Amino acid sequence: PASPPERAGVARGVRALFSIPPRRALFCAILAAASATKMSAPEAKPLLPGHSSLTSRRTAAADVESPHSRRPDGGDGKPKEPSGLKGDWGAIALLLLLYTLQGVPMGLSGSLPMLFQERGVSMMEQAVFSTVAYPFAFKLLWAPLVDTLYLPRFGRRKTWIVPAQACIGLLLLSSSLRVNDLLGPVGEGAGSDVRSLTALFFVFYFLAATQDIAVDGLALTILSERNKELGATCNAIGQTLGYFLAYVGFLGLNAYGLTSLGSFMAFWGWLFLGSTLWVLGVRNDEYTAPEGGVAEQCVAAYREMLLVLQLPAVRSLALVLLTCKAPLAAFDMLVPLELQASGVPKERLALLTTVMLPVSMAAQGYVSKGFSAGGTGKPMIVFCRAYGWRLAVGALLTALVFALGTDASRGGTPIPAYLYALGTVASCGAAVASASMFVSQMAFYNRVSDPKIGGTYMTMLNTISNLGGQWPGTVVLATKGAIEALPGKPNGFYGVALASLLAGVVWLTAMGRRAGRLQEEPRASWRVSVA
């Protein structure tokens, strides 16, 4: 008979053989079903915040809750590090759920500009409504509170995730009773209560931004070190899926008279409340009491942010982030409205988002592969290359709008099929470039963030990025509105689009080199000294 060591070795081998399920194929299937392209969504989505240096003070009690603290024993008695996605599947599924819910209010707000267009709302009022996404740009102001003020017995992140989702659900249900009246009937000069709708969706974005702070902190806690950068992928896929379900779902159903904005919001309200009950059962959280007073911890978090801003490398990156979206805003904000004015039905614009689903997913998966465990990709180099493609696609979309003209100028004749095909190809190109830029940007943040204050570091970078993604949209809408208010009411789109293309070429020439140098900066350039 075999000796005890031999039997133990055989048993370990059998367990190892049967513990390798075909999960990689399952993950690819989940990803393939879980993404869409944001046609007019603000680049605010995004992001990874509110997790101060206090996060690094995790105790053994918190680690017990993490699946990564229980690693199998190798044959030599040393812990064997899991490879690939093993041990992270539950965390990835949870993050995808939370980020998907986060994208729903964004998708609902993304559909409103097209509804405003049908009701003759001016560009100036459209510019006012574009400010609803600003909470994502300024969530830094309350991120330290989210990170430090919590109920240890309930869970550090659930303390904020659960009430934020519940409030969104209740607000969706209550506002669904009046939102149709605020929107008004279809028709030129029918009028919409834009300011009331702006206030309503501003609150939605504030709650979603608060949930985002807590979820991004949770991503840093429950994902293993080797797969931490997949938090960016879950962010991109989840928010995009939520946006897709709300934006495409509503516009498609509304076009056929199957739902109104109020009834659609009521549906999502009940779904938010139901999913909140699911989140209540999550155990992968931190349950240790905070050290020190809340005021002391908040002051420490703001001090760390100031330390981050004092780094020359961060200031150089901030200049890139605050300016990179300005040349692209004309294409993100104005092109869908111009296509609608040219006679393209809004439901077809929504259908185009569905067509771009596999294209966007393939781009996200391909780019993420180079930045995951063991990847050698250079995020900022990929970002700049995708930026050039994004400008080229913007030029093509501008030419497409010109070719379409207006519905009146064509005499009501149908839009040729080849123009629809050209628009589909251009939109898919924009989806690939945008997905590549977003994932690359988030991966770069994860690489350069100082692990001593990782969450605070990313909070600062994402705050800068969000601000850089918000102000250009408001400016281009207001600029177009100002041009069209001139005598003769000229179409301001072409002037804004051509100026944006020129600005984009200048930006890529000047800032592209700067971004490349940032990629090569040593790690010491991104580190701060915390007393």
Side-chain angles (χ1 to χ4, degrees), residues 14 18-19 34 105 118 126 138 182 241 304 377 381 482 529:
V14 172
F18 287 96
S19 65
E118 292 179 330
Q126 294 265 27
F138 293 102
L182 296 176
L241 175 61
E304 291 166 359
I381 302 300
S529 299

Side-chain angles (χ1 to χ4, degrees), residues 233-250:
T233 304
C234 292
N235 189 319
I237 293 174
Q239 285 190 0
T240 305
L241 175 61
Y243 185 94
F244 168 79
L245 293 173
Y247 174 80
V248 178
F250 169 67

Side-chain angles (χ1 to χ4, degrees), residues 216-366:
D216 287 337
L218 185 66
L220 293 174
T221 302
I222 64 175
L223 285 174
S224 64
E225 188 66 29
R226 70 186 184 281
N227 287 319
K228 190 168 290 186
E229 291 175 352
L230 288 180
T233 304
C234 292
N235 189 319
I237 293 174
Q239 285 190 0
T240 305
L241 175 61
Y243 185 94
F244 168 79
L245 293 173
Y247 174 80
V248 178
F250 169 67
L251 290 180
L253 294 174
N254 179 257
Y256 294 99
L258 298 178
T259 187
S260 64
L261 182 59
S263 58
F264 194 77
M265 290 173 64
F267 166 80
W268 280 106
W270 288 114
L271 202 59
F272 259 88
L273 293 179
S275 63
T276 302
L277 297 177
W278 184 5
V279 177
L280 279 171
V282 172
R283 296 192 54 82
N284 288 354
D285 201 350
E286 297 181 31
Y287 298 93
T288 55
E291 300 176 10
V294 173
E296 176 187 349
Q297 295 179 52
C298 288
V299 170
Y302 286 118
R303 177 176 173 271
E304 291 166 359
M305 293 175 190
L306 291 176
L307 289 173
V308 172
L309 279 177
Q310 291 173 6
L311 295 173
V314 172
R315 291 201 298 267
S316 182
L317 177 61
L319 183 60
V320 172
L321 297 177
L322 287 172
T323 57
C324 65
K325 300 295 173 56
L328 304 178
F331 314 119
D332 293 334
M333 301 296 292
L334 299 182
V335 165
L337 298 179
E338 289 298 311
L339 290 175
Q340 187 180 6
S342 299
V344 180
K346 65 180 186 298
E347 58 271 20
R348 294 215 176 164
L349 292 173
L351 179 62
L352 185 60
T353 304
T354 307
V355 174
M356 292 185 292
L357 169 63
V359 178
S360 177
M361 186 59 253
Q364 291 177 1
Y366 180 80

Side-chain angles (χ1 to χ4, degrees), residues 89-103:
W89 290 100
I92 290 171
L94 174 61
L95 292 175
L96 284 173
L97 167 67
L98 296 176
Y99 283 125
T100 298
L101 293 173
Q102 197 179 108

